[in-house]
Amino acid sequence: MTDVIRLKVTDNDLVVKPKVDTVEEVIKEIEVPIPAEDVDRVLDRSATEIATGASVIGNYALAFSDKLVGIHGKAVESLKNCALYMCSNLTTVDFPNLKNIETNSLYGCPLTTEVTFPELTKLDSSSFNKSVAEIINAPKLTTLLGQNFTASKVKELKAPQLIELPNLFMYRATQLQRAVFPNCNAVGNSAFEGCSSAEIIDLGHPLSVGGSAFDYVKCDVYIRTPTLCNMLRPTSNFRGRFLVPSELVDQYKVADNWSTWADQIFAIEEE
């Protein structure tokens, strides 16, 4: 619950002071200075629709703007920390040139069913946590820093250029249906833990898979690496099948941390 949000604008900076009450704790008042050149002065926290000419939407710039429904900006290239944090009615985000989304930028925003970021290359931690966007298109996305979709409603992330999936990547994203990352070379701890609705997880060519990466997963998981992929720690409660190159099936069945699932390891059929 937000009980105070005050804005102080001077010629040199914008200071946003949110004070947040939660059941567990009270977060103290925070001051976040933002360089003037990065801030669109016409941002109106009481508006339902905003068209901005800024290249950057700064730290906490529109956090908790509960009337905001849509925001548009062709010049926007970066969302700073918590820029649109907990905008509880925000459904439309149109930033065709957005390249970078920082920590908690879209946390808790009920975005429309499908959103597209054609130029996005980097996501910081918790960018989409608790977001309700179902399909996210990010064709140029290569870099993820920290957990990004924890407890989100995402059904599919279309990001074919992703290379590493970090720890807690899709942790408890219980509505995830498709995860296809043909260029993936590493999967972090608990990356898909709790993704109980997944229908397919295709990981390309990972060299390593973290512990608990597939806990409570029920679907087919494709590992296409031409050599044995290293599982760093065991997964538990896996209820699907691991599909691997046919020539490696016997190696997987006896390999450390894979052998537990020997009866659930099968060859990839010719496609």
Side-chain angles (χ1 to χ4, degrees):
M1 172 181 173
T2 307
D3 53 25
V4 175
I5 292 182
R6 295 199 301 274
L7 294 178
K8 177 184 176 184
V9 181
T10 68
D11 290 338
N12 297 316
D13 63 9
L14 172 66
V15 176
V16 182
K17 298 181 178 181
K19 182 179 177 183
V20 184
D21 253 340
T22 68
V23 174
E24 298 101 3
E25 61 180 344
V26 175
I27 300 174
K28 293 182 179 179
E29 212 168 73
I30 304 170
E31 287 194 359
V32 186
I34 306 169
E37 62 271 18
D38 288 346
V39 179
D40 187 337
R41 294 298 177 169
V42 300
L43 290 181
D44 179 0
R45 298 177 62 83
S46 64
T48 57
E49 292 278 342
I50 290 177
T52 176
S55 61
V56 174
I57 298 182
N59 299 338
Y60 289 92
L62 288 163
F64 302 105
S65 296
D66 56 4
K67 294 181 180 179
L68 185 63
V69 174
I71 183 167
H72 314 266
K74 290 184 178 180
V76 175
E77 295 186 357
S78 180
L79 296 181
K80 294 296 186 180
N81 296 336
C82 300
L84 296 165
Y85 182 85
M86 292 300 293
C87 290
S88 57
N89 289 299
L90 180 62
T91 57
T92 302
V93 174
D94 181 17
F95 299 135
N97 293 301
L98 185 66
K99 295 180 173 63
N100 178 37
I101 298 179
E102 294 191 4
T103 302
N104 289 326
S105 295
L106 292 165
Y107 184 106
C109 297
L111 302 176
T112 49
T113 301
E114 185 166 356
V115 292
T116 299
F117 300 106
E119 299 299 322
L120 184 67
T121 58
K122 188 179 82 167
L123 276 181
D124 276 8
S125 177
S126 305
S127 303
F128 283 91
N129 285 8
K130 297 190 178 180
S131 167
V132 299
E134 294 182 357
I135 300 174
I136 298 172
N137 298 294
K140 295 184 179 180
L141 181 63
T142 59
T143 304
L144 299 174
L145 303 176
Q147 64 190 71
N148 303 94
F149 299 93
T150 294
S152 70
K153 305 290 185 183
V154 66
K155 293 182 178 179
E156 182 174 9
L157 171 63
K158 296 180 179 180
Q161 302 304 317
L162 270 182
I163 297 171
E164 295 186 12
L165 307 183
N167 297 342
L168 302 170
F169 168 53
M170 288 278 181
Y171 180 70
R172 293 188 180 177
T174 56
Q175 296 189 34
L176 180 70
Q177 294 178 353
R178 289 179 55 82
V180 179
F181 303 110
N183 289 303
C184 171
N185 65 20
V187 180
N189 297 329
S190 299
F192 294 98
E193 182 177 344
C195 292
S196 54
S197 298
E199 298 171 0
I200 180 174
I201 296 176
D202 193 332
L203 297 174
H205 303 86
L207 301 176
S208 63
V209 170
S212 301
F214 308 111
D215 285 10
Y216 303 101
V217 168
K218 304 173 185 177
C219 68
D220 287 348
V221 176
Y222 286 80
I223 307 286
R224 300 179 183 273
T225 317
T227 56
L228 187 70
C229 172
N230 181 24
M231 183 179 282
L232 303 178
R233 295 204 317 272
T235 245
S236 61
N237 295 297
F238 177 67
R239 302 169 191 177
R241 300 188 305 169
F242 288 116
L243 298 172
V244 302
S246 57
E247 64 273 17
L248 298 176
V249 169
D250 291 340
Q251 292 183 48
Y252 271 101
K253 286 179 178 287
V254 297
D256 289 346
N257 298 325
W258 291 102
S259 58
T260 302
W261 311 106
D263 292 341
Q264 292 161 254
I265 296 175
F266 297 87
I268 298 172
E269 297 179 1
E270 291 187 11
E271 300 172 348

